[in-house]
Amino acid sequence: MNGQRRETEFDERDRTESESERAENCISSARRNARDVISTLPDSLLCHILSFLPTPDAIRTSILSSRWRPLWTLVPILYFNHQDIPQITHPLEDIVSSIFTLRNADAGPDPAPIHKLRIFLFKCCVPTHLETWVAASIRLCLQELELNLQFSKTSELPRSIFFSTTLAVLKLNGDILLNPPPSSALLPSLKIMKLESVSYANRDSLSTLLAACPFLRDLTLKLSPYGLRNYMDKNAGMAGVNAIILIPTLKRLHFHWPIVCWPYKVHINTPALEYFHFTGVLNEDFVLEKLPNVVESVVEVEKWRRDEDYAKKVWDFMGQFCNVISMELITKTAEILSHASNRDDIPMFHNLSSLSFSFFCFIEWHAIQVLLHRAPKLQTLVVKPWQNNMQRVIRTDGYLKEPLTVPECLSSHLTTFHYNQFSGDGVEMEFVRQLLMVAGVLKTMRITVTSTLDSEVKLQVHEKLSEYQRSSQSCQIAFD
């Protein structure tokens, strides 16, 4: 009996091992077949697939077969990320330099174009290395360049970039010093430029670069005082930077300018601009000429002074977007506007259809009411408490005790209202109640409650909202 049992166990083990081997063989065969199928694809499609990989990973596919060996040299995208490349035996700059050398050697006398070069480095490298990589790419018809250099030491942007006739997209972030030649720089193909927290060699470096981009369509400028602290203007004796943006082709502008103490001058004249996102402060040297084609704006004016003169300047700034269709006011902007909400010359926004604003507390509601009176065709209103800020607990009932003055848009045009991060406190409930009473053609009121409310409180809030009197009988309350 024992012998028969052992034979049975051996048979079972052999059968299990045989099944396991067959399964592994099937998997291996499936992999080989899949690889063979992929290998039959045309070079252009295989290169497109490899372009989604970091360049070192794309190189590793060359060991698959002779069919794959040269393909990585044809990929028009080179992507190097410090975090993706193991540096066990060689520094990162040596690895990248070797890849450039190997690519040229394997490609023969006619290397494939490099359309996109992306380099993310988080340790210092020798500046000549960066210059060599960029110059080699520019010679091969570089169209897109993205540099993110997070060093403790600033590295000057290679000068060859300022003379590229093919570069269409330029994105720079981090410890990069911009020092374009004053008069000879020219980037005739550049359409998109994004500069985040980079440094400028002198006050006119930024304006010089912008003047060299006559056909720019999309510009992002995020300036940080950190990028100015080590560079002294010889004439003014103090660090500063000017932004002279005179670009007739520009369509989109993200302008982050949180500078108060540094001397600067801003002059924006972009008649074709359609989208403008502004974050920062306004001083006396901030000139914004009329922008009749802006249809979408995001305004985040930071508090510099709490007085009527500064508030008037903000109203005048917003008035430049006279034909805007969609507008978003973020954080303290509405509070700043409230300091001059009684003036008679507040601009009109005849085409404004959608308004969104975030706030700290309801003391800012008065300024929003004024704005509603100046937007007779408003159809969508979105309210977003700023990050569920604790200042909302401040008692502000007094700002809603007075009956809501009914602007034309609420009585005859507003069809959609969305309140985000609704907590259900008394002030918010009163605000919604008044809005329901005066919104004559409202179709949808969407209430999105905060995640901190328990299910029982949510049910109570929902029931109470459903009981409120509505001016529009067709209004439906969507309670998320």
Side-chain angles (χ1 to χ4, degrees):
M1 294 293 292
N2 291 336
Q4 291 179 352
R5 185 163 56 251
R6 282 196 295 271
E7 290 178 2
T8 302
E9 291 175 353
F10 288 144
D11 292 342
E12 183 67 26
R13 186 184 307 164
D14 291 341
R15 185 164 57 253
T16 302
E17 291 177 352
S18 178
E19 292 176 352
S20 176
E21 291 175 358
R22 285 198 298 272
E24 290 180 1
N25 290 334
C26 288
I27 293 174
S28 299
S29 178
R31 287 174 175 169
R32 285 195 300 272
N33 292 335
R35 188 177 66 197
D36 292 341
V37 171
I38 293 176
S39 297
T40 61
L41 297 175
D43 286 356
S44 59
L45 185 52
L46 292 177
C47 289
H48 180 71
I49 295 172
L50 292 179
S51 68
F52 291 96
L53 299 176
T55 297
D57 291 339
I59 294 175
R60 293 187 181 99
T61 64
S62 63
I63 66 174
L64 295 176
S65 68
S66 58
R67 168 77 173 86
W68 286 83
R69 190 168 298 124
L71 285 177
W72 77 271
T73 66
L74 303 177
V75 176
I77 297 176
L78 294 182
Y79 173 34
F80 304 101
N81 191 324
H82 201 116
Q83 297 176 331
D84 295 335
I85 302 178
Q87 301 161 67
I88 300 174
T89 57
H90 299 285
L92 177 67
E93 56 264 34
D94 290 347
I95 296 174
V96 177
S97 296
S98 298
I99 290 175
F100 269 92
T101 302
L102 184 61
R103 186 182 192 273
N104 291 336
D106 288 354
D110 189 20
I114 297 177
H115 291 161
K116 182 185 294 186
L117 176 63
R118 303 177 66 205
I119 300 178
F120 295 2
L121 298 183
F122 303 99
K123 290 184 180 179
C124 289
C125 72
V126 180
T128 53
H129 283 303
L130 189 62
E131 173 70 46
T132 300
W133 304 336
V134 171
S137 302
I138 288 177
R139 285 194 297 270
L140 296 175
C141 303
L142 185 66
Q143 297 176 7
E144 298 185 30
L145 175 63
E146 184 174 0
L147 297 179
N148 189 335
L149 309 182
Q150 304 297 332
F151 304 155
S152 57
K153 181 180 179 181
T154 303
S155 180
E156 185 169 342
L157 186 68
R159 292 178 71 83
S160 57
I161 291 175
F162 302 117
F163 306 98
S164 171
T165 59
T166 60
L167 194 65
V169 178
L170 178 62
K171 298 180 180 180
L172 306 176
N173 191 334
D175 299 311
I176 301 171
L177 175 64
L178 291 183
N179 188 18
S183 58
S184 57
L186 182 61
L187 294 160
S189 299
L190 197 65
K191 300 295 190 297
I192 300 173
M193 183 161 62
K194 188 174 185 179
L195 307 177
E196 294 189 75
S197 301
V198 300
S199 300
Y200 301 91
N202 57 65
R203 179 172 293 185
D204 294 320
S205 296
L206 175 58
S207 298
T208 299
L209 176 58
L210 295 176
C213 309
F215 302 108
L216 202 63
R217 296 176 62 86
D218 191 325
L219 174 63
T220 298
L221 287 176
K222 293 188 177 182
L223 194 69
S224 169
Y226 174 83
L228 303 173
R229 74 189 195 286
N230 293 325
Y231 305 100
M232 305 300 291
D233 188 283
K234 294 181 180 179
N235 297 322
M238 186 177 181
V241 65
N242 294 330
I244 311 300
I245 308 176
L246 311 176
I247 306 175
T249 58
L250 198 66
K251 297 287 188 180
R252 297 177 63 85
L253 175 59
H254 291 76
F255 197 72
H256 185 77
W257 203 259
I259 297 176
V260 177
C261 58
W262 302 102
Y264 68 87
K265 182 180 294 184
V266 176
H267 183 188
I268 300 176
N269 185 344
T270 52
L273 199 68
E274 297 175 355
Y275 174 90
F276 189 20
H277 184 157
F278 174 80
T279 301
V281 297
L282 303 174
N283 77 347
E284 299 305 321
D285 291 323
F286 198 111
V287 178
L288 181 67
E289 298 194 21
K290 201 164 187 178
L291 306 173
N293 292 310
V294 173
V295 294
E296 184 176 358
S297 65
V298 180
V299 182
E300 187 174 2
V301 179
E302 298 178 1
K303 283 198 299 186
W304 179 20
R305 304 192 311 262
R306 294 187 179 185
D307 57 35
E308 185 175 350
D309 289 340
Y310 187 58
K312 288 180 178 179
K313 189 172 186 65
V314 178
W315 275 115
D316 293 339
F317 172 79
M318 291 174 51
Q320 302 301 318
F321 319 128
C322 55
N323 294 322
V324 68
I325 296 175
S326 173
M327 180 186 294
E328 181 175 0
L329 306 181
I330 300 178
T331 61
K332 289 293 184 178
T333 306
E335 181 186 344
I336 296 171
L337 294 174
S338 66
H339 292 289
S341 55
N342 294 323
R343 58 184 293 195
D344 297 328
D345 58 344
I346 290 177
M348 290 290 297
F349 301 93
H350 291 286
N351 296 329
L352 187 61
S353 174
S354 175
L355 173 65
S356 172
F357 72 96
S358 60
F359 62 93
F360 281 94
C361 50
F362 271 98
I363 59 175
E364 303 157 8
W365 173 237
H366 176 65
I368 299 300
Q369 284 193 76
V370 173
L371 184 56
L372 293 179
H373 279 281
R374 313 302 286 178
K377 297 180 181 179
L378 190 73
Q379 298 179 22
T380 301
L381 179 63
V382 180
V383 176
K384 300 187 294 187
W386 189 71
Q387 296 180 356
N388 201 22
N389 194 276
M390 291 303 296
Q391 292 193 34
R392 293 171 65 197
V393 302
I394 299 176
R395 300 303 296 170
T396 55
D397 306 72
Y399 291 91
L400 293 174
K401 283 184 177 179
E402 293 294 328
L404 181 67
T405 56
V406 185
E408 179 184 348
C409 64
L410 292 188
S411 61
S412 59
H413 285 86
L414 189 72
T415 58
T416 303
F417 173 75
H418 183 192
Y419 198 119
N420 200 3
Q421 295 298 305
F422 189 80
S423 67
D425 64 28
V427 181
E428 291 179 324
M429 296 294 288
E430 175 62 17
F431 172 74
V432 172
R433 186 189 71 81
Q434 291 193 23
L435 194 68
L436 284 171
M437 288 184 62
V438 299
V441 295
L442 191 65
K443 295 180 180 179
T444 302
M445 174 178 283
R446 179 178 298 132
I447 305 293
T448 303
V449 299
T450 64
S451 58
T452 57
L453 291 184
D454 59 45
S455 56
E456 184 176 350
V457 175
K458 290 179 184 178
L459 181 60
Q460 293 175 355
V461 170
H462 191 192
E463 291 177 348
K464 191 169 184 179
L465 288 174
S466 300
E467 295 173 355
Y468 284 158
Q469 182 180 351
R470 308 174 199 181
S471 176
S472 172
Q473 299 303 315
S474 62
C475 176
Q476 298 294 321
I477 298 180
F479 195 77
D480 298 336

